Amino acid sequence: QVQLVESGGGLVQPGGSLRLSCVASGSIYIIYSMNWYRQAPGKQRELVARHDGTLQYADSVKGRFAISRDTAKNTVSLQMDSLKREDTALYYCNARLKTNHFDPAMDYWGKGTLVTVSS
């Protein structure tokens, strides 16, 4: 069993900041990447930021968001600055990992944390 639990969402005014955190726990053998996705109402889920040893960002958040990861603690964070109304979404933590040496890597997801940017 693997669990990903997000925290840190909430209501923030445009131009404000929030920091999301996610911790992975359970039967983890190796984590290849820890990532953040988001899904806005009526839209498809999209990749926001990826951390697999290299960093990747969606064009819409470059220069405003920063992903960081603590491999020893199996955590990933997303620092979100200069937030815009269009950043409003349910943010999901994702990890690609193996639970043992033999089985292939799989994607695991948290339940999401809501970020609302509004005045």
Side-chain angles (χ1 to χ4, degrees), residues 7-8 11 14 17 19-20 39 42 52 60 88 93 96 103 116 118:
S7 60
L11 174 64
S17 298
R19 185 176 181 85
L20 306 182
Q39 187 166 17
D52 60 1
S60 60
T88 295
C93 178
R96 171 151 288 200
D103 290 337
T116 304
S118 176

Side-chain angles (χ1 to χ4, degrees), residues 10-18 38 64-65 80-89 91 114-119:
L11 174 64
V12 63
Q13 292 186 342
S17 298
L18 277 178
R38 69 185 180 186
R64 301 188 297 120
F65 290 12
M80 304 186 295
D81 298 322
S82 303
L83 282 160
K84 304 176 180 180
R85 288 183 173 83
E86 51 265 41
D87 295 317
T88 295
Y91 283 71
L114 183 62
V115 172
T116 304
V117 184
S118 176
S119 54

Side-chain angles (χ1 to χ4, degrees), residues 36-71:
W36 288 97
Y37 285 74
R38 69 185 180 186
Q39 187 166 17
K43 295 188 176 182
Q44 290 188 328
R45 190 175 299 189
E46 63 173 354
L47 175 68
V48 176
R50 178 186 301 280
H51 195 315
D52 60 1
T54 63
L55 307 183
Q56 179 185 347
Y57 296 95
D59 288 343
S60 60
V61 307
K62 282 181 181 176
R64 301 188 297 120
F65 290 12
I67 188 171
S68 59
R69 182 178 162 191
D70 186 329
T71 55

Side-chain angles (χ1 to χ4, degrees), residues 6-43:
E6 304 101 334
S7 60
L11 174 64
V12 63
Q13 292 186 342
S17 298
L18 277 178
R19 185 176 181 85
L20 306 182
S21 296
C22 171
V23 58
S25 62
S27 181
I28 298 171
Y29 175 70
I30 185 171
I31 299 178
Y32 291 108
S33 67
M34 294 191 77
N35 318 298
W36 288 97
Y37 285 74
R38 69 185 180 186
Q39 187 166 17
K43 295 188 176 182

